[in-house]
Amino acid sequence: MKLSKKITLVKNFFFIKIENLKKLINLIKNMKGIIDVNLKKNRYVGAATGAKNLIIVLDTSSSMSQIVREENSTLSRMAIAREAIGFLIDTMTNADLCGFVQFNTNATHFADVLLPVNATTKDKIKAFVNKLEPQGLTNYEDGFRKAFQILNNTYNNKARGANGLLSEDCATVILFLTDGKINEGERDKNVLMSLMRQWDSKHNATIISYTLGDSSENEVPKLIACQHRGFWKKIENITKLKNELSS
């Protein structure tokens, strides 16, 4: 298949309307293969087993405590995000490197470099995520600043990552999950976009943005994804995820 057809298929795949989490979980199941597209070199890195550098950036502001009720199910947006992140991490292989950032009023990270994905790393990241509770404001700037610091630290690390496996030829992907409008840090979208272009100048990361809930902010997450070779999705009905993960 020609490259142009492959890219078209990828684009078409991601513009399917997501009406509920049954579609989202199928998307996540296929994401591991899709993000193997190395957009900075306009070629496929490999099949679903291709190595990738992934950072998950999760909004943990107070609005993530909002309860969503649907079909006799009651879960918070944070609970849904925890489930989705745990599932995604479980699909990763020991060829991948992973990092995690959570942000509200300020941002914190799991580790200051990308780590090799093995059973221990998976368990530790999931345990870290499961302890997070919604609080504070929504600071996109600090969340992305921290994510790009992790990339800088990893590329600058003498060991070339945590175990010497980091490859600049691998796809670098930031998965961004939020439900809130910026109310802390840089609020001007144009200034924020300029900052992110500077931070990303040597990484060429692909950013995939999901906005959670029918009252979520859409404009800036969409702009972030479009500026960074990715895609954006609004997830309106998210409470089916628990059943999907357990089925």
Side-chain angles (χ1 to χ4, degrees):
M1 183 183 295
K2 293 182 178 179
L3 175 62
S4 60
K5 291 184 178 180
K6 289 181 179 179
I7 296 298
T8 299
L9 287 174
V10 171
K11 289 181 178 178
N12 289 341
F13 179 81
F14 286 123
F15 277 94
I16 296 171
K17 181 180 180 182
I18 298 180
E19 296 174 346
N20 55 51
L21 250 292
K22 181 172 289 188
K23 291 185 178 180
L24 174 60
I25 201 63
N26 287 332
L27 183 63
I28 290 176
K29 287 178 180 178
N30 286 281
M31 185 185 297
K32 194 167 77 71
I34 295 299
I35 63 178
D36 284 317
V37 180
N38 188 335
L39 295 176
K40 73 177 181 180
K41 293 186 180 297
N42 291 321
R43 65 177 176 83
Y44 272 65
V45 177
T49 56
K52 66 193 87 18
N53 309 317
L54 174 68
I55 299 182
I56 300 166
V57 179
L58 174 65
D59 180 352
T60 59
S61 62
S62 57
S63 59
M64 287 290 283
S65 64
Q66 181 173 327
I67 299 298
V68 182
R69 294 178 175 84
E70 180 186 352
E71 297 182 2
N72 300 317
S73 176
T74 301
L75 284 174
S76 69
R77 291 173 178 174
M78 178 63 76
I80 300 298
R82 290 192 194 104
E83 296 265 17
I85 290 169
F87 183 90
L88 179 59
I89 289 173
D90 281 339
T91 68
M92 299 183 74
T93 73
N94 58 11
D96 302 323
L97 296 177
C98 185
F100 179 82
V101 173
Q102 70 88 23
F103 72 94
N104 40 67
T105 305
N106 298 294
T108 60
H109 58 270
F110 174 74
D112 61 5
V113 294
L114 294 174
L115 298 177
V117 177
N118 52 41
T120 299
T121 301
K122 288 181 179 182
D123 288 344
K124 287 184 176 180
I125 292 178
K126 287 188 289 185
F128 181 83
V129 172
N130 287 336
K131 291 179 181 179
L132 297 174
E133 295 294 339
Q135 60 182 318
L137 302 177
T138 305
N139 188 340
Y140 286 16
E141 178 189 2
D142 210 35
F144 281 107
R145 185 192 306 276
K146 188 72 69 175
F148 285 110
Q149 283 176 351
I150 291 172
L151 289 177
N152 287 337
N153 292 342
T154 306
Y155 280 103
N156 294 334
N157 190 284
K158 292 182 180 179
R160 303 297 291 155
N163 64 348
L165 294 177
L166 181 62
S167 171
E168 295 183 8
D169 290 330
C170 294
T172 296
V173 178
I174 297 175
L175 177 63
F176 178 49
L177 298 138
T178 184
D179 78 329
K181 185 175 182 179
I182 300 171
N183 53 19
E184 182 67 15
E186 183 54 65
R187 305 183 193 191
D188 185 306
K189 64 183 179 182
N190 294 320
V191 175
L192 179 61
M193 295 305 105
S194 178
L195 287 171
M196 291 184 64
R197 282 193 295 271
Q198 294 175 38
W199 298 336
D200 190 34
S201 60
K202 67 179 181 180
H203 303 297
N204 293 316
T206 297
I207 299 180
I208 299 170
S209 294
Y210 287 119
T211 52
L212 308 177
D214 56 9
S215 61
S216 57
E217 160 71 10
N218 299 315
E219 181 184 8
V220 178
K222 183 177 181 180
L223 185 60
I224 288 171
C226 291
Q227 178 176 276
H228 293 272
R229 300 159 292 278
F231 64 90
W232 161 82
K233 285 292 179 185
K234 179 181 178 68
I235 310 300
E236 296 179 352
N237 302 312
I238 58 178
T239 56
K240 293 183 179 180
L241 180 57
K242 186 175 181 180
N243 290 335
E244 293 298 324
L245 289 175
S246 61
S247 62

